[in-house]
Amino acid sequence: AGPELLERLKSLKSDAGTSNLAAMIVTEFMLQHRREHTAELCGVLKRKRDILLAALEEQLGDLCSWTRPQGGMFVWVKLPDEIDNGALARAAEQEGVLYHPGRNFDSGDRDIPYLRLAFGFPSDDAILLGTRHLARAIRAAVPAGAVG
């Protein structure tokens, strides 16, 4: 950031816990290795995205659709229109699955049949396991005979 912007940003710092030493280490690392590190991270995220997309296809290909992000760390899953979002929340909780429902991203706070899945942090195995649990929860929340 330029000096003027940097001063404005510094005034927003209010966590009182950031380590100056850690910040200096990260800064030095990024000055020396930003391009290589970014390329490595992009490769990891692409692999995780592909694992999630393959798992979604295997577990929910007959029931849902989803985005194929070209960047970022999120996949948007389109749920069946008939889904009971309350039942999905309860079933997902029983399955130990956390997700961000579409309502969280709708400016009108409507109960829309989408959810957002993050794949950046979980391990490959956690993505596979989580997708299986999520699929069970979604199937439990679709009224019997509602989807043909």
Side-chain angles (χ1 to χ4, degrees):
E4 185 178 309
L5 179 56
L6 188 56
E7 284 305 312
R8 288 191 319 193
L9 292 173
K10 286 184 348 187
S11 72
L12 298 174
K13 183 178 186 257
S14 62
D15 66 2
T18 302
S19 164
N20 288 335
L21 176 60
M24 288 187 285
I25 291 168
V26 169
T27 298
E28 189 61 32
F29 176 83
M30 293 306 280
L31 287 171
Q32 301 294 321
H33 306 287
R34 181 181 55 81
R35 290 187 195 284
E36 298 86 5
H37 185 64
T38 301
E40 182 180 350
L41 287 177
C42 286
V44 168
L45 290 173
K46 183 181 181 304
R47 185 192 78 241
K48 288 181 171 199
R49 178 207 63 189
D50 291 348
I51 289 169
L52 176 57
L53 294 176
L56 286 169
E57 183 62 39
E58 179 183 321
Q59 299 292 324
L60 291 165
D62 63 327
L63 194 60
C64 298
S65 59
W66 46 86
T67 61
R68 182 180 177 83
Q70 298 303 306
M73 296 178 278
F74 306 103
V75 169
W76 283 92
V77 176
K78 167 72 169 81
L79 301 167
D81 290 333
E82 303 82 7
I83 198 147
D84 179 334
N85 284 315
L88 176 55
R90 290 185 298 278
E93 184 178 356
Q94 289 177 342
E95 291 286 343
V97 174
L98 297 175
Y99 66 91
H100 291 284
R103 162 176 255 138
N104 291 359
F105 304 97
D106 182 71
S107 63
D109 195 35
R110 293 171 294 190
D111 222 3
I112 59 174
Y114 284 86
L115 54 87
R116 186 181 86 164
L117 302 177
F119 56 84
F121 180 74
S123 69
D124 298 355
D125 289 339
I127 291 170
L128 293 170
L129 181 63
T131 304
R132 282 195 297 273
H133 287 284
L134 177 63
R136 280 198 297 262
I138 289 171
R139 290 184 186 286
V142 176
V147 178

